[in-house]
Amino acid sequence: SFQIPEYTLEATGYGTLKLLEAVRNLKINPRIYQAGSSEMYGGNRSKILNENSEFLPRSPYAIAKVYSHWISVNYREAYNMFACNGILFNHESPVRGETFVTRKITRGVAKIALGLQEKLYLGNLGASRDWGHAKDYVRMQWMMLQKNDPEDFVIATGKQISVRAFVEISARHLGVELEWSGYGVDEVGKVKSVNKKMCPGISRGQIIIRVDSAYYRPTEVETLLGDPSKAKRVLGWEPN
């Protein structure tokens, strides 16, 4: 969104307004789910974030999402529309785009294990996120739309790991243990031990993870952790 902020605003912000306007004067009252984002919290340093936490967006995408959130609330209150916001924390699955960090890591480690790729370059390894599965989150979206009255909900797991830990878990699934050295852009992930039967393309002592500053955001968001207690209490939702 830093590279194409105008398009981001048009699609992510104005897109919601156009949808609300399109249905405002219909004779039927369709139920609208607006896809919010944990990125709206951005620079909020609270340990855990819920529906009442302050939005402090730190990217054009997050700013557009805040607009979508509040325009949905405004139309709900002004025109009695069924419009609800789901504030989704990171949600992943095997069909996630390959440039997103979760798929980039799992595909990259697998390719390195087979000798098809030498190294995996990542951005901020210390960034921590609340990662859940898209199936759980879509189920929660559906549950929100079954309520008699529209409400806004945080959708999260309440658990958090760093990008670095995500890399370690992915490597461990292939029989690779990593050790880290260096700091910031100089940090590297080196193979401490390896199951050669599973990973013929990897050798002990090999550096397979490096940091590239090109993948850092101009304004970084170090930590995001959601509090899904309202979803659990009101709707009985649990992430599986």
Side-chain angles (χ1 to χ4, degrees):
S1 71
F2 287 100
Q3 295 171 345
I4 47 172
E6 297 95 340
Y7 172 78
T8 299
L9 179 59
E10 284 284 350
T12 306
Y14 289 160
T16 301
L17 173 61
K18 291 173 182 177
L19 175 65
L20 291 166
E21 272 294 286
V23 303
R24 180 165 64 91
N25 294 315
L26 294 177
K27 293 181 180 179
I28 60 171
N29 187 17
R31 297 190 172 203
I32 298 170
Y33 170 80
Q34 198 287 121
S37 169
S38 60
E39 293 291 330
M40 298 189 298
Y41 295 117
N44 190 317
R45 303 299 292 178
S46 299
K47 185 176 180 180
I48 190 163
L49 301 155
N50 61 29
E51 293 81 3
N52 298 315
S53 300
E54 182 183 8
F55 296 145
L56 293 170
R58 287 175 61 79
S59 71
Y61 170 80
I63 292 165
K65 281 292 188 185
V66 171
Y67 174 85
S68 286
H69 177 95
W70 286 119
I71 198 67
S72 297
V73 171
N74 181 255
Y75 270 59
R76 178 170 73 207
E77 296 175 349
Y79 305 115
N80 196 32
M81 294 173 65
F82 192 109
C84 55
N85 293 291
I87 306 172
L88 273 68
F89 282 67
N90 292 63
H91 43 291
E92 313 297 327
S93 86
V95 297
R96 180 64 123 156
E98 294 174 8
T99 59
F100 286 83
V101 70
T102 47
R103 288 294 310 287
K104 182 177 179 180
I105 291 169
T106 54
R107 284 174 57 84
V109 172
K111 284 185 175 181
I112 292 169
L114 296 172
L116 301 176
Q117 183 174 318
E118 185 178 346
K119 292 181 180 66
L120 176 61
Y121 290 88
L122 297 167
N124 184 3
L125 294 172
S128 294
R129 293 292 185 269
D130 181 330
W131 270 301
H133 198 290
K135 283 186 177 181
D136 284 329
Y137 287 29
V138 172
R139 176 166 51 86
M140 174 58 190
Q141 293 166 13
W142 180 86
M143 293 171 76
M144 290 172 61
L145 291 169
Q146 309 315 303
K147 287 186 85 277
N148 291 330
D149 300 304
E151 285 188 69
D152 305 327
F153 289 88
V154 161
I155 309 180
T157 68
K159 300 176 182 179
Q160 180 187 60
I161 65 169
S162 67
V163 173
R164 186 184 296 103
F166 200 107
V167 174
E168 291 174 350
I169 293 167
S170 299
R172 201 168 291 134
H173 272 285
L174 294 173
V176 176
E177 290 293 332
L178 294 171
E179 58 183 358
W180 305 91
S181 61
Y183 179 78
V185 294
D186 296 319
E187 186 170 5
V188 297
K190 185 184 297 185
V191 177
K192 182 178 180 181
S193 63
V194 57
N195 183 331
K196 291 295 287 184
K197 288 184 178 180
M198 295 180 67
C199 304
I202 295 180
S203 301
R204 187 173 179 275
Q206 180 182 344
I207 293 175
I208 63 171
I209 309 295
R210 284 193 177 276
V211 174
D212 187 337
S213 60
Y215 295 118
Y216 276 72
R217 296 175 178 181
T219 45
E220 277 288 323
V221 175
E222 291 292 336
T223 178
L224 290 172
L225 176 60
D227 174 11
S229 58
K230 180 183 175 182
K232 294 180 178 182
R233 183 180 71 254
V234 175
L235 297 175
W237 175 80
E238 290 283 348
N240 296 324

